[in-house]
Amino acid sequence: MFDVVINNGRLFDGTGAPSRVCNLAIRDGVVADISEQPLDEAGARVIDAGGCWVTPGFIDTHTHYDAELIVAPGLSESVRHGVTTALIGSCSLSMVCSDVEDASDIFTRVETVPREKVLPILQQNKTWRTPSEWVGFIERQPLGPNIISFLGHSDLRVAVMGLHRSTDRAVRPTEAELLQMESLLEEALDEGFLGLSSMCLKWDKIDGDREWSKSLPSTYARWSEVKRLNEHLRRRGRVHQGAPNAANPLQIFQYLGEALGVLRKPLKTTLISMLDLKGNKTVAPMAKLAARVTNLLGGDFRWQVLPTPFAIYADGIDHVVFEEFGAGEMARNLKTEVEQNALFKDEAYRRKFRRFYSEKFSPRVWQRDFGDAIILDCPEKRYVGRDFADIANEKGMHVVDLFLDLMVEYGRKLRWFTIIGNHRVDRLRAMVSNPDTLITFSDAGAHIRNMAFYNLPLRFLQLIKQSIDEGNPAMSLERAVHRLTGEQAQWMGIDAGTLRVGDRADVVVLDPSQLGQPLDIETWAEMEGFGLERMVNRNAGIVRNVLINGKVAVEEGEPVAELGKVQGFGRYLRAR
């Protein structure tokens, strides 16, 4: 009768309803039966889930798998943690409409994936130039998870205007170009894209030799252009994902104004990101207030919130946080270490860096405190495990001068770490409990040597389980599973996230007794299709089985051999 029977698990159906111990049967990729009575196991694959939770597959609504999906569509690094649906095309960066080199150059520096790896992949494989052609390609791929997508505004803009014109502040698109953008967006919406992603944060820069170090094309658009595209999303009930300009906090009101539903249909809008920043403790409270007022006025707005401390890793000065102040941006705009070292030795530059470092009231994401940054690796091994301020005090010098001296001596061989936000567990629990937030922002697929949070769903469940174990629950377990599954699917408008009879069988079986282990320990693992190692998380024993469309994709914690190679498990999911 059934293909798979999962017995004796504590079932969370993804709706927030009370969980219960029962049996679940799957036939032809959908949930065929749920019962507290024994089910017919004849001819079925039987999974004993005794002592385990059985949940809908997790939905990761902020990834950058756009390039990896082409050569390693199994996306096993997310699937192993229970992610059965992944959203690409975030932050204005899709690889749908633009030419090969443009698609590479707007992606690689921002997401710190080497250009020399991404460009050849696109040159060999990219044959599509329209949303419908891209969907045709994706539907032929042996996918690991299900895939959903935004159309990126930078991708759209550069495809219509060209890379040079789309990154020139003085150039506005012609009426014909605006009409072409609207036509491509409409085609994408017809093909089931969830909506549009845009970018106003000017730190994210272009790679390559043509327009090196310019901000992404989306940042050059007038707001009238964005509003015009938004009307297509509003009319069709789709989503706008954006990132406000951190250097101009008031810019957020442009996004909030679009989300409002006063005398019109609200626009579903989600922004990056509600953070409890060390460098600015007012950001999270103001973000909370802005979202609540917007939604009380008829809007449909959600902040994205990362349910774990926001850790960053840097090799020398190679991290986007240096883009937020002038001296850091000057160094990041130079391509070679020779050029950077000449700058670091210049006394006028050092004075400028010290001035920016000492500013206390300028907009910031990084707290600019080298005393809160730990050296992880360095040719001088006696520095490892110490913070920069400690070493500077030992040498009797300013900490900025020490940092710049170390940059000259060791460059990218000096690896360091800091936490920029979400460091206070009580504030973090309050943020993830806020109804105006989405539990997302993993950045999976990006940042080869910086952490992307592949195990984000497990970190969230650990956070909530710990609060319950301490007798101060942030929410119920049922609500926590709902936030990772059914709630996101419903808000995004996709057919996923629940386990009821007739639902698609995306299922996770996990052992809650293993959620006590540390989930933030970095691991280095192969990035398939790229010939690189990247920093990831591996958490043995938590996720036992993952089923995608009724097929076993993870068995005893490991992705099955065929994942994304021979047979596909996932599908391209269209917006409702």
Side-chain angles (χ1 to χ4, degrees):
M1 290 184 65
F2 304 120
D3 301 322
V4 181
V5 174
I6 302 174
N7 285 329
N8 305 314
R10 181 180 175 184
L11 178 69
F12 297 80
D13 70 3
T15 69
S19 58
R20 59 191 174 114
V21 176
C22 60
N23 309 307
L24 181 146
I26 297 167
R27 183 195 303 117
D28 296 332
V30 302
V31 178
D33 200 357
I34 298 173
S35 175
E36 295 177 6
Q37 302 302 315
L39 297 171
D40 187 352
E41 299 176 358
R45 162 72 188 277
V46 178
I47 297 173
D48 181 8
C52 293
W53 297 348
V54 177
T55 76
F58 304 133
I59 303 172
D60 189 340
T61 52
H62 191 119
T63 83
H64 290 285
Y65 276 130
D66 305 71
E68 187 170 345
L69 189 63
I70 299 171
V71 289
L75 307 185
S76 60
E77 213 52 62
S78 284
V79 172
R80 70 167 58 248
H81 298 296
V83 173
T84 60
T85 300
L87 190 154
I88 62 173
S90 298
C91 300
S92 84
L93 300 172
S94 57
M95 293 182 171
V96 177
C97 300
S98 49
D99 288 335
V100 165
E101 191 173 6
D102 293 341
S104 174
D105 286 356
I106 65 175
F107 180 85
T108 50
R109 182 174 170 184
V110 175
E111 304 307 336
T112 57
V113 184
R115 184 179 190 266
E116 62 269 21
K117 298 291 184 180
V118 173
L119 182 56
I121 287 170
L122 290 171
Q123 288 170 332
Q124 183 175 352
N125 295 281
K126 192 176 189 305
T127 58
W128 58 90
R129 285 292 305 273
T130 66
S132 59
E133 291 172 349
W134 178 86
V135 170
F137 170 79
I138 292 299
E139 290 186 327
R140 293 189 297 272
Q141 290 286 84
L143 301 175
N146 303 304
I147 294 297
I148 51 181
S149 185
F150 286 125
L151 183 63
H153 186 217
S154 287
D155 176 29
L156 178 63
R157 207 165 197 268
V158 76
V160 172
M161 300 176 64
L163 185 61
H164 179 70
R165 292 183 69 249
S166 67
T167 54
D168 186 335
R169 186 71 58 192
V171 174
R172 297 193 181 200
T174 65
E175 179 62 21
E177 288 170 333
L178 286 169
L179 289 171
Q180 187 180 354
M181 287 188 215
E182 291 178 292
S183 176
L184 286 168
L185 178 57
E186 276 293 323
E187 181 181 330
L189 300 180
D190 288 342
E191 290 291 340
F193 281 61
L194 269 62
L196 183 76
S197 67
S198 67
M199 174 61 65
C200 290
L201 184 63
K202 300 184 187 301
W203 305 347
D204 291 339
K205 302 294 182 63
I206 294 172
D207 210 339
D209 299 320
R210 297 167 300 156
E211 304 297 334
W212 164 262
S213 239
K214 285 186 174 181
S215 297
L216 289 177
S218 184
T219 67
Y220 292 85
R222 270 69 171 184
W223 196 250
S224 58
E225 177 184 325
V226 177
K227 289 178 67 175
R228 187 161 164 172
L229 296 172
N230 277 346
E231 286 310 305
H232 296 263
L233 307 179
R234 190 189 311 279
R235 176 171 50 84
R236 301 182 62 163
R238 302 296 174 84
V239 180
H240 187 130
Q241 181 212 74
N245 184 357
N248 178 16
L250 296 179
Q251 192 269 325
I252 186 181
F253 288 104
Q254 291 179 313
Y255 280 112
L256 296 178
E258 286 292 283
L260 286 173
V262 180
L263 302 179
R264 62 179 179 177
K265 185 176 182 179
L267 174 67
K268 287 186 176 183
T269 304
T270 177
L271 293 186
I272 307 164
S273 163
M274 182 186 284
L275 285 168
D276 177 29
L277 290 173
K278 287 183 177 181
N280 188 343
K281 294 179 174 60
T282 67
V283 167
M286 293 302 294
K288 178 182 177 181
L289 177 62
R292 188 84 300 261
V293 171
T294 300
N295 289 332
L296 287 174
L297 292 175
D300 197 352
F301 178 84
R302 300 291 185 275
W303 284 108
Q304 298 187 19
V305 60
L306 180 71
T308 190
F310 201 136
I312 64 170
Y313 297 76
D315 298 301
I317 204 165
D318 281 356
H319 198 282
V320 71
V321 294
F322 287 99
E323 301 278 4
E324 71 175 347
F325 60 98
E329 186 180 24
M330 288 173 63
R332 292 268 297 166
N333 285 345
L334 300 175
K335 283 191 174 183
T336 69
E337 286 194 8
V338 172
E339 294 172 298
Q340 287 183 348
N341 288 343
L343 184 67
F344 295 154
K345 293 175 183 178
D346 183 77
E347 183 55 37
Y349 173 79
R350 287 177 171 241
R351 287 196 298 270
K352 181 176 293 188
F353 200 117
R354 287 194 294 267
R355 185 173 71 252
F356 280 113
Y357 178 82
S358 300
E359 286 179 351
K360 299 301 181 186
F361 302 108
S362 61
R364 65 184 61 204
V365 171
W366 175 38
Q367 61 271 28
R368 299 182 205 168
D369 180 4
F370 284 123
D372 190 29
I374 305 299
I375 295 174
L376 298 175
D377 195 18
C378 180
E380 179 55 74
K381 297 304 180 186
R382 66 191 179 94
Y383 293 159
V384 175
R386 300 172 66 185
D387 66 71
F388 291 98
D390 179 41
I391 300 169
N393 289 335
E394 178 185 281
K395 292 178 174 288
M397 60 192 301
H398 193 285
V399 69
V400 167
D401 290 325
L402 171 81
F403 178 77
L404 295 176
D405 284 348
L406 294 178
M407 292 303 97
V408 172
E409 189 166 359
Y410 303 119
R412 294 176 178 87
K413 295 178 182 177
L414 181 77
R415 184 164 174 80
W416 55 281
F417 157 91
T418 190
I419 293 175
I420 64 173
N422 292 0
H423 51 295
R424 298 182 289 186
V425 68
D426 57 332
R427 304 295 177 90
L428 182 56
R429 289 173 180 172
M431 287 195 300
V432 300
S433 302
N434 188 318
D436 302 322
T437 61
L438 296 173
I439 308 302
T440 187
F441 196 30
S442 79
D443 260 2
H447 318 310
I448 303 303
R449 295 184 57 79
N450 188 22
M451 181 56 75
F453 302 92
Y454 295 91
N455 64 351
L456 179 148
L458 303 183
R459 294 189 187 215
F460 176 63
L461 292 176
Q462 182 188 67
L463 179 73
I464 301 307
K465 186 176 183 297
Q466 286 175 345
S467 74
I468 293 170
D469 293 343
E470 293 167 7
N472 186 28
M475 66 184 72
S476 68
L477 290 172
E478 289 83 357
R479 171 67 176 146
V481 172
H482 175 57
R483 297 224 70 194
L484 290 171
T485 57
E487 180 180 81
Q488 299 217 39
Q490 182 180 15
W491 195 80
M492 290 288 181
I494 57 172
D495 180 20
T498 53
L499 288 178
R500 300 164 299 189
V501 173
D503 287 341
R504 190 175 57 256
D506 297 336
V507 188
V508 177
V509 179
L510 66 88
D511 184 352
S513 70
Q514 297 297 314
L515 279 173
Q517 65 180 274
L519 300 184
D520 58 352
I521 297 175
E522 63 271 17
T523 303
W524 292 92
E526 179 190 0
M527 186 178 183
E528 293 183 57
F530 285 78
L532 297 168
E533 279 200 325
R534 64 174 164 194
M535 183 188 289
V536 298
N537 300 119
R538 295 287 175 88
N539 310 119
I542 301 179
V543 175
R544 287 179 41 186
N545 297 93
V546 178
L547 291 87
I548 302 173
N549 290 298
K551 300 176 183 177
V552 178
V554 172
E555 189 164 17
E556 295 303 324
E558 288 297 324
V560 301
E562 296 86 1
L563 185 59
K565 295 177 181 177
V566 178
Q567 71 179 88
F569 297 86
R571 303 172 184 168
Y572 172 66
L573 300 185
R574 288 169 164 79
R576 290 195 186 102

